[in-house]
Amino acid sequence: MDQLNELEQAAICFHVLGGCNDKSMLFRIACGAERYNKLSDKSKGVTVSKWYNLPRIQEGIKIYKSIQERKKIELENEIIAGLETETANQATKNEEVEKTNFLDRDEFLQFLNSRANAITDDKLRNDILKMLSDNLRYKDTERDENNEIQRFYIPVTCENCGIYQRCKGCNLPSCPNLNK
């Protein structure tokens, strides 16, 4: 690779990583469009083929292909390792959920707390926090001071009462609605 100049490395990289199989395009990248255009139509194909088959170019292609293959294998190994780690974490979480006694209020609240801290999705996190606050009865703190139930009845005003409206112009002894 020391023998290759930067333009030749770029052309080889484009060939290996970019999938370009047009040898004349690769030659133009490596040697310049001016040089390619100066060649006669008959000599373009021969010159491009000779350049492509140069040992240093072929060695560069092999090196880039091996680098690409090694990176591919490393990426596959990272993905597999990530999946294995994720699977192990999921199994641990499932065991944790299975061990949680949801009938015990303290364990249930601790479970909700750990889930709320672990979740990054805002909507789901808000739902869990709402469940947590409902179970902790944060809404009832004002009522906790005075636990006695108080009921207030609003009396109906005379103008809104059905009996009053039916009998408002009536004299009691001569009322036609008296027996109704």
Side-chain angles (χ1 to χ4, degrees):
M1 287 245 305
D2 294 336
Q3 301 171 7
L4 298 173
N5 65 33
E6 289 179 355
L7 294 175
E8 289 174 332
Q9 290 178 11
I12 293 170
C13 200
F14 184 49
H15 173 63
V16 173
L17 302 177
C20 178
N21 292 320
D22 183 4
K23 293 176 185 170
S24 61
M25 172 68 80
L26 298 174
F27 180 82
R28 280 183 267 166
I29 292 171
C31 299
E34 289 179 15
R35 181 174 173 202
Y36 180 78
N37 292 335
K38 287 181 183 178
L39 297 172
S40 67
D41 290 339
K42 292 180 183 178
S43 66
K44 283 182 181 177
V46 173
T47 306
V48 168
S49 182
K50 281 183 182 179
W51 170 83
Y52 186 79
N53 291 318
L54 286 173
R56 63 188 172 104
I57 300 298
Q58 290 301 309
E59 184 64 29
I61 290 172
K62 286 179 187 175
I63 290 171
Y64 273 98
K65 283 185 178 181
S66 68
I67 290 171
Q68 182 186 23
E69 187 63 31
R70 189 176 67 234
K71 296 253 184 201
K72 180 182 173 187
I73 291 171
E74 287 174 4
L75 183 61
E76 288 173 351
N77 289 340
E78 282 181 31
I79 291 171
I80 290 170
L83 289 174
E84 289 173 353
T85 304
E86 188 176 310
T87 305
N89 289 343
Q90 188 65 31
T92 305
K93 286 180 183 178
N94 288 343
E95 289 174 9
E96 179 183 314
V97 170
E98 289 175 6
K99 292 178 184 176
T100 303
N101 181 6
F102 292 108
L103 297 176
D104 182 16
R105 186 170 186 260
D106 291 333
E107 280 188 51
F108 179 63
L109 291 174
Q110 189 168 3
F111 172 78
L112 287 176
N113 183 45
S114 66
R115 289 293 175 210
N117 288 327
I119 292 175
T120 57
D121 180 30
D122 288 339
K123 185 177 180 185
L124 187 57
R125 186 179 205 176
N126 287 339
D127 289 342
I128 290 177
L129 290 174
K130 185 175 184 253
M131 263 194 282
L132 192 60
S133 71
D134 288 347
N135 279 290
L136 290 173
R137 294 188 180 92
Y138 282 145
K139 294 179 182 178
D140 297 338
T141 55
E142 295 170 2
R143 287 189 231 156
D144 286 346
E145 296 169 3
N146 192 1
N147 289 337
E148 191 176 310
I149 296 175
Q150 298 178 358
R151 292 188 176 93
F152 298 97
Y153 297 98
I154 301 172
V156 178
T157 56
C158 293
E159 294 84 24
N160 295 331
C161 177
I163 298 170
Y164 176 79
Q165 289 174 354
R166 199 173 46 211
C167 298
K168 73 177 167 183
C170 217
N171 189 359
L172 189 59
S174 63
C175 181
N177 297 325
L178 188 59
N179 294 330
K180 288 185 182 177

